[in-house]
Amino acid sequence: MIKLLRVDHRLLHGQVAVSWTNGLGADCILVASDTVVNDPVWKTTLKLGKPEGVKLVMKNMDDAIKAINSGVTDKYKLIIVVQTIEEAKRLADGCEQVKSINLGNTKQSATTKQVSKQVFLEPEEVTMLRDLMGRGVECEIRALVDDKKVDVATVL
């Protein structure tokens, strides 16, 4: 059962490892990233940030989609973490089980629009989010599990 699909360029850190995992009662974190699976430093860093008693799985995007669709993840209370909105859209496009996307932290650049304290959107990401919301996928901004949800549609 997917408890959360979070976009956070930092992936696994205190907010995810403590607030979200405890708040949602998650027992497995899936990091879905084509970059991370090929980077030994990232993998080691993520393993160090893993909460006690919670399984950590790192898969590339295609393998993550296959695992979710095959049902092997169904036994877990799953948090999925990706680095970008594009990756979240790819998961949503490939997995009908994705009903909601949480925007936690995205990178700022010269071409981004700031829509919250920690969320910056590129023009093409705005298009992606509108597409997802148009298909009924909830898109919300929330740093911590106890924070009030902000509907992305209200800040675009």
Side-chain angles (χ1 to χ4, degrees), residues 36-89:
V36 168
V37 295
N38 297 312
D39 186 330
V41 174
W42 254 116
K43 288 165 76 171
T44 300
T45 303
L46 293 173
K47 288 175 187 172
L48 291 172
K50 178 189 84 69
E52 182 96 18
V54 175
K55 182 178 178 82
L56 174 64
V57 178
M58 293 175 262
K59 292 190 174 290
N60 66 37
M61 294 300 295
D62 288 339
D63 289 344
I65 291 167
K66 284 179 196 161
I68 293 164
N69 287 332
S70 76
V72 298
T73 62
D74 291 354
K75 61 186 171 190
Y76 297 108
K77 295 174 191 156
L78 187 65
I79 291 177
I80 304 168
V81 186
V82 297
Q83 288 182 298
T84 67
I85 291 166
E86 181 180 0
E87 290 170 332
K89 184 177 184 306

Side-chain angles (χ1 to χ4, degrees), residues 93-111:
D93 289 347
C95 304
E96 65 181 29
Q97 303 89 322
V98 173
K99 306 288 185 207
S100 178
I101 297 172
N102 165 262
L103 305 183
N105 290 281
T106 60
K107 288 185 177 180
Q108 182 178 11
S109 78
T111 56

Side-chain angles (χ1 to χ4, degrees), residues 104-143:
N105 290 281
T106 60
K107 288 185 177 180
Q108 182 178 11
S109 78
T111 56
T112 55
K113 171 186 173 185
Q114 184 172 8
V115 296
S116 79
K117 183 178 176 186
Q118 298 170 298
V119 176
F120 302 84
L121 300 175
E122 296 286 352
E124 61 272 16
E125 292 172 330
V126 170
T127 302
M128 288 178 212
L129 290 166
R130 285 192 172 126
D131 175 61
L132 287 162
M133 291 182 294
R135 292 186 292 154
V137 176
E138 175 192 42
C139 296
E140 52 108 353
I141 299 170
R142 199 164 28 137

